[in-house]
Amino acid sequence: KIERSERERGRKMGIRFILMVNKQGQTRLAQYYEWLTLEERRALEGEIVRKCLARNDQQQCSFVEHRNYKIVYRRYASLFFMVGVDDDENELAILEFIHLLVETMDKHFGNVCELDIMFHLEKAHFMLEEMVMNGCIVETSKANILSPIQLMDKAH
Amino acid sequence: MNPFSSSTRLRDMIRSIRACKTAAEERGVVRKECADIRASINENDPHDRHRNLAKLMFIHMLGYPTHFGQMECLKLIASPGFPEKRIGYLGLMLLLDERQEVLMLVTNSLKQDLNHTNQYVVGLALCALGNICSAEMARDLAPEVERLIQFRDPNIRKKAALCSTRIVRKVPDLAENFINAASSLLKEKHHGVLITGVQLCYELCTINDEALEFFRKKCTEGLIKTLRDITNSAYQPEYDVAGITDPFLHIRLLKLLRVLGHGDADASDLMTDILAQVATKTESNKNAGNAVLYECVETIMAIEDTSSLRVLAINILGRFLSNRDNNIRYVALNMLMKAIAFDDQAVQRHRVTILECVKDPDASIRKRALELVSLLVNENNVKQLTKELIDYLEISDEDFKEDLSAKICSIVEKFSPEKIWYIDQMLKVLSEAGKFVKDDVWHALIVVITNASELHGYTVRALYNAVLTYSEQETLVRVAIWCIGEYGDLLVNNVGMLGIEDPITVTECDAVDVIVDAITRHNSDMTTKAMALVALLKLSSRFPSISERIKDVILKQKGSLLLEMQQRAIEFNSIVERHKNIRSSLVERMPVLDEATFNVRRAGSLPASVTTMAKPSVSIPNGVSAAPLVDLLDLGSDDILAAPSSSSGADFLQDLLGVDLGSSSAQSGATPAPKAGTDLLLDILSIGTPSPAQNSTSAIDLLSTADMNNNSSTALDTLSSSAPPHIATTASAGGMFDLLDGLSTSPSKEATNGPAYPPIVAYESSSLKIEFTFSKPSGNPQTTNVEATFINLSPNTFTDFVFQAAVPKFLQLHLDPASSNTLPANGGKVTQNLRVTNSQHGKKSLVMRMRIGYKVNGKDVLEEGQINNFPRGL
């Protein structure tokens, strides 16, 4: 019997997903902290990307409400970082979190670009793992986030 | 790596996918890669596993199915090396679909890794567990995680803390085991441990009241000290963001203080000083500082009354609102909505600024501001605010008009001080955004108009003027033609002039022109045209001098491509031509519609009372959906001949489809003949037809046409009361026809004679559970009464809930109306009784196909399934 009653119900869980999307709208990294089917994910990503990419004006705010999510997004060069959160999450803090994520990746890859993430997808995920667990922030020090990853690189 | 491996490298795969020009090409490449990966998995070469999984992750990210890789993850997790384990756990977290057998298989590996000597392996296991663990795993592994909260390395402690938040969320009973461990984390210096420890405490407080009391008593002062320390801390490069030390930790601490202070004056009192310090000392020229201020304001507003702090908070919001940065303005609007609850006056002071935000070019800001404005409205400012909003409606973006007009309408309906004002405002909205206005809104307008007898003349003249200018606004046209049909004589004779009106000259011909215009416009929809035809019939009586012209217009509709229009035209024509004596009484002015009844029905809290009158607004494309009806009639025609007692085709059909069973007195003494017809047709269709109220609802849902008047007013029901009810049922039957496709014959089983039948779970999905309980009426072994209970498992309310079922020919099914068509969120229940008669009792078991339709947040959801697990012998 399929176990699905395990899904988060009612209770807020902070960050629900993190997407990195290029300006053509192609997903380059997707990490979900709640379970969605493949079809749901594809549909959701499509809708969000359409909505966010249409808001190209610099003056517009970085928040979009979609379904029961609030999307906090920020563009760095050709990459959009989008974070889906619950309604009562601190939007400004999430914006700051995106910046921390980018700085961390910059520190590791040296000016991170789309190709870095594509070709080192698992590394990008390892970094995320060190930063977010189950939709909550684990660590905010770049050195602490990167040290296990660098340790493994050395071991190889 | 195996040099003889046939599969491509990860990089090469990504390159070839990136080189694809079309989606079809990409699918081709992915299909080929997946085939290679499967082949490679079958070869079972451990060296390829790592690469296969990396590829699968990429393919998964692109949105292709990768479930076949799940077992590979388990193998990698079970392998001894750290790199393999690491990618294995990552794959597990990404590719996992919630299949319990996979989770069960991984529990043992997790347990071993949580006890591993290498702390990095322990970290991996904690991370995976924290992201995916189920309730069962939580129970199994909680002791390990509890122990790891005290591990020597802080990097493990922090992960164990967050892992515990998931465990206590999955199994709230375990919460008390973690309270002591969590409170010890609050004393740490390591930021990672602190932030996760605070999170764990927060989680425990929301789950467990004892935990809340415990932390409130023991930890409030400590938390305040921690917050003070980081607020005053010297520059720490590792955690500094624009001059703030670790804003993330600030925010977490403020969140936890909020929970502790809420509802407890003592705890609130303790934190006053530090909150005041954060609110006044935090730099507000950078995003990080504003994020902390924002959180601080929310905490101030949630804790017990400390009015001086609240003034501070409102001032911060005022500053935010006038900020040039849109992000800051957005959060200000967001927070002001919460502030209204305790200080309406303070928020009202910002009304002008908020109204400006409604006109912002940024859609997110507009949406927030509009929500806020609708909360600000009261009896005193409704006129002014409505005027502002309606003025803006004229110039707003097309895509904002729908939201804006809906809000204006709800404000006007709620706070309208007088009827004439209400009618004026609604007319303005309909003129500007009539095509976006929902049915229930203009239905309500008509109800109000009929009730305002002294304003009939005024309204019809205003509508006439409006429709000349805004003839493209569909709902405006509908209301106008309805009113002209009803009150055309008041229009041409300037009856009941109000002082504020300018006299206008409208001839009878002019009035008819408006209606002719609506009926001949190519983009008028079926509802509008049908309403126009009815209006013409009424005017032919009100304007005898031009009734010849009206007759010609009606006659033309005999050639309409819409079946409904054709039929109506023929009927109306014969009324005009041959039944002049009854015409005037047929088209007398509508009686005043009962507002109270309408409002109750509109609220939709109860299923609408049974109405057998058809709706005039059926947007069936001619001939398409009607086809099943024709089939039905063909099937039934023999029976019509065989059953002379049925008086008319319409009644008969009505009877056949079970629309009106029991409610029509004519049928009360029905001979067995039509009854047999019913059974026969039901048998042919193998369909249980729900009773009338339900039936029309389901028809509407199935067609999902926008303008079906599901909850329409009596006005509309009676607009063309002569329309036979088959329109509604056709749709329903059409929908149910799908159910017949591929209906499998049930497996034949030997019946047992067990007298008691256990209840079953007939269906379960992530959002919905259906339980059946059974009973047998004494003396009739063939019949089973089934009570179906529908349980909403999701956090969203289901509306327009409809359950349909189909059974094979040897069964007969009768559905009673459901107890409600709305399922409240989180365990809300609806029951419905079914009666199944098994003509093969003792030989065959029950089997049923079902389809459930409902709406979640306005979106249609359809679930289908087959129920095979009926107890034997029913």
Side-chain angles (χ1 to χ4, degrees):
Chain A
K1 192 83 188 165
I2 299 171
E3 181 197 279
R4 277 194 257 187
S5 51
E6 285 305 315
R7 280 169 82 155
E8 307 295 344
R9 271 194 229 118
R11 204 187 306 281
K12 309 284 182 174
M13 63 172 296
I15 298 174
R16 308 225 281 190
F17 58 80
I18 298 174
L19 297 176
M20 298 181 198
V21 176
N22 69 8
K23 61 176 189 237
Q24 284 82 41
Q26 293 162 310
T27 307
R28 287 308 174 217
L29 182 145
Q31 171 71 57
Y32 288 82
Y33 296 97
E34 63 179 346
W35 189 74
L36 297 174
T37 66
L38 216 52
E39 291 73 32
E40 285 170 326
R41 287 182 180 202
R42 283 190 91 140
L44 182 68
E45 285 171 29
E47 292 160 10
I48 291 172
V49 166
R50 262 196 303 284
K51 247 186 179 165
C52 292
L53 267 57
R55 295 165 57 85
N56 46 9
D57 190 345
Q58 290 295 311
Q59 291 300 307
Q60 305 226 330
C61 71
S62 311
F63 317 122
V64 176
E65 286 159 51
H66 184 74
R67 299 205 205 169
N68 46 349
Y69 300 107
K70 192 168 274 179
I71 320 293
V72 181
Y73 72 98
R74 197 158 171 177
R75 183 181 166 169
Y76 289 85
S78 67
L79 261 192
F80 284 85
F81 288 73
M82 300 166 177
V83 179
V85 295
D86 282 317
D87 202 39
D88 58 358
E89 195 63 29
N90 186 324
E91 298 89 349
L92 300 177
I94 297 295
L95 214 52
E96 209 52 58
F97 168 77
I98 293 177
H99 193 67
L100 177 70
L101 175 61
V102 174
E103 281 185 338
T104 310
M105 289 189 157
D106 269 349
K107 195 168 171 185
H108 183 77
F109 292 114
N111 219 350
V112 66
C113 72
E114 190 185 336
L115 288 183
D116 288 329
I117 294 169
M118 283 187 86
F119 288 128
H120 303 99
L121 187 60
E122 78 274 24
K123 266 214 190 106
H125 273 293
F126 293 145
M127 272 177 234
L128 263 185
E129 263 177 30
E130 294 293 329
M131 296 179 74
V132 184
M133 243 177 87
N134 197 26
C136 304
I137 294 175
V138 195
E139 181 59 70
T140 54
S141 145
K142 292 188 269 289
N144 284 353
I145 295 165
L146 290 174
S147 73
I149 291 155
Q150 282 155 353
L151 206 68
M152 278 320 295
D153 282 355
K154 261 184 229 153
H156 253 276
Chain B
M1 294 279 167
N2 181 359
F4 303 108
S5 163
S6 58
S7 61
T8 48
R9 299 192 317 151
L10 173 64
R11 262 170 194 268
D12 296 333
M13 182 191 83
I14 295 176
R15 284 216 179 85
S16 55
I17 288 176
R18 265 164 59 83
C20 292
K21 299 253 178 337
T22 63
E25 219 178 304
E26 182 184 288
R27 278 197 294 276
V29 173
V30 169
R31 207 177 301 128
K32 188 179 156 299
E33 284 291 342
C34 283
D36 284 350
I37 294 168
R38 277 172 196 270
S40 167
I41 287 174
N42 288 337
E43 281 170 26
N44 215 0
D45 182 344
H47 296 290
D48 279 343
R49 279 199 186 127
H50 189 284
R51 179 198 291 174
N52 285 339
L53 204 59
K55 281 186 186 173
L56 280 177
M57 273 163 44
F58 193 87
I59 291 170
H60 176 82
M61 183 196 69
L62 295 175
Y64 295 94
T66 49
H67 46 271
F68 56 89
Q70 285 173 355
M71 291 313 286
E72 285 300 280
C73 298
L74 298 191
K75 286 180 195 160
L76 281 164
I77 290 170
S79 61
F82 179 79
E84 285 77 25
K85 275 187 189 294
R86 183 160 75 154
I87 192 109
Y89 276 121
L90 179 58
L92 184 74
M93 286 185 273
L94 290 175
L95 310 186
L96 176 100
D97 75 32
E98 297 205 345
R99 291 202 300 186
Q100 205 181 17
E101 62 265 38
V102 179
L103 283 181
M104 266 162 51
L105 289 173
V106 87
T107 307
N108 204 30
S109 299
L110 276 168
K111 190 164 191 141
Q112 283 174 6
D113 287 346
L114 287 174
N115 292 306
H116 206 277
T117 48
N118 181 338
Q119 67 170 63
Y120 292 100
V121 173
V122 178
L124 286 180
L126 277 174
C127 186
L129 190 63
N131 280 329
I132 59 163
C133 95
S134 64
E136 270 169 43
M137 292 164 82
R139 279 203 191 85
D140 286 348
L141 300 172
E144 264 79 10
V145 177
E146 212 184 307
R147 180 174 54 76
L148 288 169
I149 293 182
Q150 270 123 40
F151 198 79
R152 60 181 188 286
D153 186 320
N155 288 315
I156 297 299
R157 290 204 294 275
K158 71 186 183 194
K159 286 183 183 174
L162 273 193
C163 194
S164 311
T165 62
R166 180 156 180 125
I167 288 175
V168 296
R169 197 181 288 182
K170 291 285 171 195
V171 190
D173 300 348
L174 292 171
E176 46 195 77
N177 301 1
F178 286 91
I179 294 175
N180 279 319
S183 66
S184 71
L185 293 175
L186 299 180
K187 301 187 184 85
E188 303 246 3
K189 290 278 173 262
H190 187 283
H191 282 221
V193 180
L194 259 179
I195 199 170
T196 52
V198 170
Q199 177 71 37
L200 176 56
C201 292
Y202 180 85
E203 198 69 41
L204 290 168
C205 287
T206 57
I207 290 171
N208 187 311
D209 288 340
E210 283 168 38
L212 177 60
E213 268 317 301
F214 178 86
F215 291 122
R216 202 175 259 159
K217 292 260 149 52
K218 306 270 169 163
C219 302
T220 307
E221 288 181 62
L223 285 164
I224 290 169
K225 183 176 178 305
T226 312
L227 182 56
R228 184 172 294 129
D229 287 349
I230 65 156
T231 308
N232 299 331
S233 90
Y235 175 70
Q236 294 186 40
E238 200 42 46
Y239 292 102
D240 185 82
V241 182
I244 314 268
T245 304
D246 206 343
F248 304 102
L249 182 54
H250 265 97
I251 286 163
R252 274 285 139 218
L253 285 165
L254 286 166
K255 265 195 209 298
L256 181 54
L257 287 179
R258 178 151 82 233
V259 179
L260 299 179
H262 182 73
D264 188 293
D266 293 341
S268 301
D269 221 38
L270 280 176
M271 56 188 81
T272 314
D273 286 349
I274 184 66
L275 291 178
Q277 190 195 336
V278 173
T280 47
K281 296 273 168 59
T282 309
E283 280 290 333
S284 65
N285 50 3
K286 286 276 167 40
N287 181 57
N290 284 326
V292 172
L293 279 175
Y294 178 45
E295 200 67 43
C296 186
V297 168
E298 185 154 8
T299 298
I300 290 173
M301 294 198 305
I303 64 171
E304 292 317 298
D305 187 32
T306 41
S307 35
S308 59
L309 273 183
R310 291 197 170 165
V311 174
L312 212 56
I314 290 284
N315 286 344
I316 292 174
L317 290 182
R319 263 195 347 256
F320 274 19
L321 198 59
S322 54
N323 200 301
R324 298 222 337 258
D325 183 343
N326 270 4
N327 289 341
I328 307 294
R329 281 165 59 210
Y330 177 90
V331 297
L333 292 167
N334 213 7
M335 194 56 71
L336 283 169
M337 284 179 62
K338 295 181 185 167
I340 285 186
F342 69 81
D343 196 349
D344 183 63
Q345 280 311 308
V347 183
Q348 292 283 1
R349 276 201 292 279
H350 297 292
R351 205 169 59 211
V352 179
T353 324
I354 296 165
L355 262 175
E356 280 310 302
C357 291
V358 175
K359 305 169 189 174
D360 200 273
D362 185 333
S364 296
I365 300 249
R366 281 200 307 253
K367 194 166 171 225
R368 275 286 129 223
L370 190 59
E371 297 277 324
L372 185 52
V373 166
S374 66
L375 292 180
L376 283 178
V377 178
N378 56 34
E379 285 79 10
N380 304 322
N381 59 22
V382 61
K383 285 195 172 176
Q384 188 208 342
L385 280 173
T386 309
K387 183 179 181 311
E388 289 267 357
L389 292 177
I390 288 179
D391 286 350
Y392 179 60
L393 186 63
E394 287 172 30
I395 51 166
S396 69
D397 288 352
E398 281 294 295
D399 53 357
F400 189 48
K401 281 191 173 160
E402 184 170 355
D403 284 348
L404 186 55
S405 57
K407 262 302 178 268
I408 297 174
C409 292
S410 79
I411 291 172
V412 170
E413 283 174 10
K414 201 163 158 201
F415 293 101
S416 160
E418 65 228 353
K419 279 189 171 149
I420 184 165
W421 185 81
Y422 170 87
I423 292 171
D424 281 345
Q425 307 311 311
M426 291 306 289
L427 254 51
K428 284 185 200 162
V429 174
L430 290 182
S431 302
E432 290 302 331
K435 57 187 159 203
F436 301 110
V437 169
K438 297 273 182 298
D439 282 349
D440 58 336
V441 172
W442 66 267
H443 296 170
L445 175 60
I446 288 184
V447 174
V448 171
I449 293 173
T450 67
N451 278 287
S453 53
E454 70 290 353
L455 297 172
H456 285 167
Y458 168 77
T459 308
V460 71
R461 285 186 291 275
L463 276 163
Y464 175 81
N465 282 330
V467 84
L468 292 182
T469 324
Y470 302 100
S471 59
E472 77 285 4
Q473 303 289 359
E474 190 98 38
T475 55
L476 177 74
V477 174
R478 285 185 197 167
V479 177
I481 53 186
W482 191 86
C483 286
I484 292 173
E486 283 300 310
Y487 313 119
D489 44 336
L490 309 181
L491 173 64
V492 295
N493 300 326
N494 276 335
V495 176
M497 286 289 279
L498 300 186
I500 48 169
E501 279 185 88
D502 295 325
I504 53 170
T505 318
V506 184
T507 66
E508 294 175 344
C509 258
D510 294 338
V512 172
D513 280 345
V514 169
I515 302 196
V516 172
D517 196 41
I519 211 167
T520 49
R521 275 170 68 94
H522 66 281
N523 55 356
S524 291
D525 79 357
M526 172 82 174
T527 307
T528 312
K529 287 188 178 181
M531 288 178 71
L533 206 58
V534 177
L536 284 172
L537 179 66
K538 291 177 180 171
L539 288 184
S540 74
S541 166
R542 312 231 201 292
F543 301 159
S545 62
I546 55 162
S547 73
E548 273 306 303
R549 181 184 166 211
I550 295 174
K551 200 186 86 183
D552 288 345
V553 179
I554 293 177
L555 264 178
K556 266 199 201 121
Q557 292 302 316
K558 281 165 78 175
S560 170
L561 288 173
L562 301 162
L563 191 64
E564 172 74 12
M565 293 292 284
Q566 252 184 48
Q567 192 175 348
R568 238 31 84 222
I570 292 166
E571 289 168 4
F572 290 177
N573 183 48
S574 79
I575 293 173
V576 175
E577 262 186 358
R578 277 183 276 154
H579 302 287
K580 288 214 172 84
N581 50 336
I582 60 160
R583 184 180 62 187
S584 58
S585 51
L586 267 181
V587 300
E588 264 178 15
R589 198 157 289 165
M590 291 278 298
V592 170
L593 302 164
D594 183 4
E595 272 178 285
T597 318
F598 174 75
N599 289 335
V600 167
R601 272 215 258 162
R602 192 179 174 195
S605 53
L606 296 163
S609 59
V610 178
T611 43
T612 50
M613 283 178 272
K615 318 288 192 279
S617 60
V618 181
S619 318
I620 306 174
N622 194 25
V624 179
S625 299
L629 177 68
V630 177
D631 290 349
L632 282 177
L633 285 171
D634 280 347
L635 283 172
S637 58
D638 291 344
D639 298 303
I640 296 175
L641 295 175
S645 62
S646 37
S647 53
S648 78
D651 283 353
F652 179 64
L653 185 73
Q654 193 177 331
D655 204 6
L656 277 183
L657 289 172
V659 173
D660 204 13
L661 286 175
S663 73
S664 164
S665 60
Q667 253 70 42
S668 58
T671 58
K675 189 71 187 144
T678 316
D679 291 345
L680 181 69
L681 188 68
L682 283 176
D683 217 352
I684 292 167
L685 285 169
S686 307
I687 283 174
T689 310
S691 59
Q694 231 58 31
N695 196 0
S696 50
T697 321
S698 66
I700 287 150
D701 288 347
L702 287 165
L703 278 175
S704 50
T705 48
D707 41 6
M708 295 290 284
N709 306 316
N710 188 3
N711 47 1
S712 64
S713 64
T714 348
L716 294 157
D717 289 338
T718 42
L719 279 178
S720 70
S721 53
S722 55
H726 65 247
I727 304 291
T729 49
T730 309
S732 168
M736 289 181 182
F737 251 71
D738 296 343
L739 291 171
L740 296 175
D741 292 342
L743 183 70
S744 59
T745 51
S746 71
S748 76
K749 287 178 186 164
E750 282 299 312
T752 55
N753 287 329
Y757 301 99
I760 60 166
V761 175
Y763 177 77
E764 184 166 12
S765 73
S766 58
S767 48
L768 182 71
K769 185 172 169 182
I770 305 177
E771 292 171 355
F772 280 7
T773 52
F774 305 94
S775 60
K776 288 242 180 221
S778 56
N780 191 353
Q782 293 201 338
T783 304
T784 309
N785 292 326
V786 182
E787 189 187 57
T789 308
F790 308 101
I791 305 159
N792 182 353
L793 302 177
S794 81
N796 304 308
T797 302
F798 298 164
T799 55
D800 300 336
F801 184 89
V802 179
F803 168 78
Q804 295 170 307
V807 291
K809 283 177 189 164
F810 67 89
L811 299 173
Q812 283 171 21
L813 178 63
H814 174 88
L815 273 79
D816 288 338
S819 61
S820 161
N821 63 355
T822 304
L823 259 81
N826 297 323
K829 287 182 185 176
V830 164
T831 56
Q832 186 165 15
N833 287 316
L834 289 69
R835 195 171 62 244
V836 190
T837 309
N838 185 352
S839 61
Q840 305 266 352
H841 177 70
K843 297 193 189 99
K844 290 186 179 178
S845 298
L846 297 190
V847 63
M848 194 179 285
R849 279 204 154 208
M850 50 111 213
R851 168 191 282 210
I852 300 134
Y854 52 87
K855 285 191 175 170
V856 181
N857 299 328
K859 267 185 70 110
D860 288 307
V861 180
L862 200 63
E863 299 195 39
E864 290 178 312
Q866 182 158 337
I867 307 167
N868 291 323
N869 57 339
F870 284 99
R872 288 151 66 101
L874 283 177

